[in-house]
Amino acid sequence: MILAFRDGPPDRVDCLGIDIGRLPQKREQILNFGHRAVSGKCTPEVVDRNRSSFRALHLTSKRIVRPFEWKSPPTCQSVGIFTDPKRYYGGSMGYSSLGLSPAPTPDNPPFPAALRLFSAGIIIVLIVGAGLFFAPALVRPRWPWAVTPFNARFLGGFYTAEMAVMAALLVWNRWSLGRLVLVMAFIFTVIVSAASFINLGYFNFERKAPWLWFLVYLASVAVSGLFLLRAGGRPSAKGVTLNSAWRGYMSMEMAILGLYGVGLLLFPLTFGGFWPWPIDAFHAQVYSAIFLAGAGGTYLVWKSAPHEELLVLGLAQFLVGLFAILGLVITEAVMHRIDWTATGTLCWLALFGWIGISGIFKLYAVSRYFSAQSAS
């Protein structure tokens, strides 16, 4: 919880853009929202004496602080207060009252409510997409284009993984995770939208589903691009420096995912020819977005690794690998068309098995960090 005073009437307080001027409190008091409150005038001595608990924000006399505008140098006109100074995240952040996300700081602000509302809407849409995995007989006839059983389960598995990532953003609601999710979402939706426009022949626009498909994807491109643009090149929240082994591995991972994604996008029939089931150019180009988005996420974490970004990237990779292989097994139990000894099938299993295992290692690395923080 960050509160900040401004010069003005004693009964007006600005709290992260929320005007609570009707509440009768004095200028020297700070509201206690169920956590430790700190009282006193904002003086340099107070700030120096409480350096571990304070972060300074700059407020003009009539300006309200909003996300992505915390760029002014620290001054003594305001005071930032963390809810629990004894709990830290990476040595720099406290946690919210529910313990679900770090308290907002100047380098890790929350997103506005509009993005959370949009994320909730996307999750609802993704539930429909996940139905391709869990209830294909129900969802396949209603999908925007004709989709085969193997493609349906593969797409449904990916949408399930994406739903988990969007749910993490909805709960976490901080730049430290939003940067990763928004960049990956932007890459994915741009490529899928482009592939859809290139392959308009797959869509029957006499039905409502294709129109909804383009509406959802173009809106996702616009919203994710808008918030990234508003971020204005904001760097990641404070993270950790990966050791040389991790950096070397993630460079290799980024290269493999990126190169294969580009291959699927530009030469879909060639790079998709070894898959266990036949995939056409349209589906190969759609699937290229999965690999390119993964490469983009890996690149961000490779540059700077806030623990929550590494956590969600690992979760996404684990779920993508798991549901891809599980979907193949489940569908093959009904279809009986896969040659499990074929070289292409073994390469495909190795590729998605590696993606899933890579995610497990990232989750394990983050769990060790949190265990060490809890012990200390």
Side-chain angles (χ1 to χ4, degrees):
M1 186 71 65
I2 294 181
L3 305 178
F5 287 114
R6 68 175 187 180
D7 291 329
D11 62 341
R12 296 182 63 83
V13 178
D14 285 335
C15 175
L16 292 180
I18 302 174
D19 187 3
I20 51 176
R22 294 185 179 182
L23 297 179
Q25 50 265 348
K26 296 180 181 179
R27 187 178 189 279
E28 290 77 18
Q29 294 176 328
I30 294 179
L31 295 179
N32 186 350
F33 285 82
H35 303 285
R36 187 175 75 93
V38 178
S39 299
K41 294 183 178 180
C42 179
T43 65
E45 291 77 16
V46 171
V47 174
D48 291 338
R49 191 166 60 247
N50 298 278
R51 195 176 294 271
S52 63
S53 300
F54 287 87
R55 294 292 185 271
L57 302 176
H58 178 69
L59 296 177
T60 61
S61 60
K62 294 185 179 180
R63 184 171 178 233
I64 295 175
V65 174
R66 289 185 171 86
F68 305 117
E69 295 182 353
W70 294 346
K71 299 179 180 179
S72 301
T75 70
C76 192
Q77 296 180 2
S78 57
V79 178
I81 301 173
F82 294 101
T83 59
D84 189 348
K86 295 181 180 179
R87 298 173 65 190
Y88 292 93
Y89 187 83
S92 62
M93 290 182 279
Y95 281 89
S96 66
S97 59
L98 296 178
L100 298 176
S101 59
T105 63
D107 71 334
N108 194 26
F111 286 101
L115 182 62
R116 302 193 78 181
L117 182 62
F118 183 79
S119 299
I122 292 297
I123 291 174
I124 294 174
V125 174
L126 291 174
I127 292 175
V128 178
L132 287 173
F133 188 93
F134 297 99
L138 177 65
V139 178
R140 277 182 59 202
R142 297 167 175 82
W143 200 245
W145 67 87
V147 59
T148 64
F150 286 102
N151 284 321
R153 277 256 161 69
F154 183 81
L155 282 170
F158 172 76
Y159 284 128
T160 302
E162 186 180 3
M163 182 171 59
V165 171
M166 292 302 298
L169 176 60
L170 184 65
V171 173
W172 202 274
N173 191 40
R174 295 290 182 269
W175 172 244
S176 55
L177 177 58
R179 179 187 75 131
L180 175 74
V181 176
L182 288 176
V183 168
M184 294 178 67
F186 182 76
I187 294 172
F188 180 79
T189 53
V190 165
I191 294 174
V192 172
S193 298
S196 299
F197 278 111
I198 293 172
N199 297 277
L200 288 176
Y202 281 81
F203 299 91
N204 179 8
F205 287 98
E206 294 181 358
R207 301 170 57 225
K208 295 180 180 179
W211 294 101
L212 292 174
W213 170 268
F214 282 96
L215 176 63
V216 168
Y217 270 85
L218 292 179
S220 298
V221 170
V223 171
S224 57
L226 174 64
F227 279 98
L228 288 173
L229 183 64
R230 287 185 62 187
R234 173 182 291 275
S236 66
K238 183 177 180 180
V240 296
T241 302
L242 297 173
N243 60 39
S244 57
W246 264 107
R247 288 183 63 84
Y249 169 76
M250 295 189 75
S251 298
M252 179 195 69
E253 178 181 288
M254 179 173 51
I256 293 175
L257 294 176
L259 290 174
Y260 186 64
V262 170
L264 278 176
L265 182 63
L266 300 180
F267 309 100
L269 297 181
T270 300
F271 282 80
F274 70 91
W275 283 46
W277 68 92
I279 59 172
D280 53 29
F282 173 47
H283 284 92
Q285 289 175 331
V286 169
Y287 298 159
S288 72
I290 299 174
F291 294 92
L292 290 173
T298 302
Y299 171 73
L300 290 179
V301 175
W302 174 79
K303 286 187 63 179
S304 177
H307 298 93
E308 60 271 26
E309 291 187 2
L310 189 61
L311 171 67
V312 172
L313 180 62
L315 176 64
Q317 290 182 330
F318 168 68
L319 292 178
V320 167
L322 173 66
F323 281 109
I325 296 175
L326 187 60
L328 179 66
V329 172
I330 294 174
T331 308
E332 171 60 12
V334 178
M335 303 299 295
H336 305 290
R337 295 182 182 177
I338 303 299
D339 181 2
W340 293 103
T341 62
T343 302
T345 301
L346 295 176
C347 290
W348 186 92
L349 291 171
L351 173 62
F352 283 94
W354 166 66
I355 291 174
I357 293 172
S358 180
I360 291 175
F361 278 118
K362 293 180 178 65
L363 293 174
Y364 174 71
V366 175
S367 68
R368 289 188 61 188
Y369 169 80
F370 281 119
S371 297
Q373 289 294 306
S374 299
S376 60

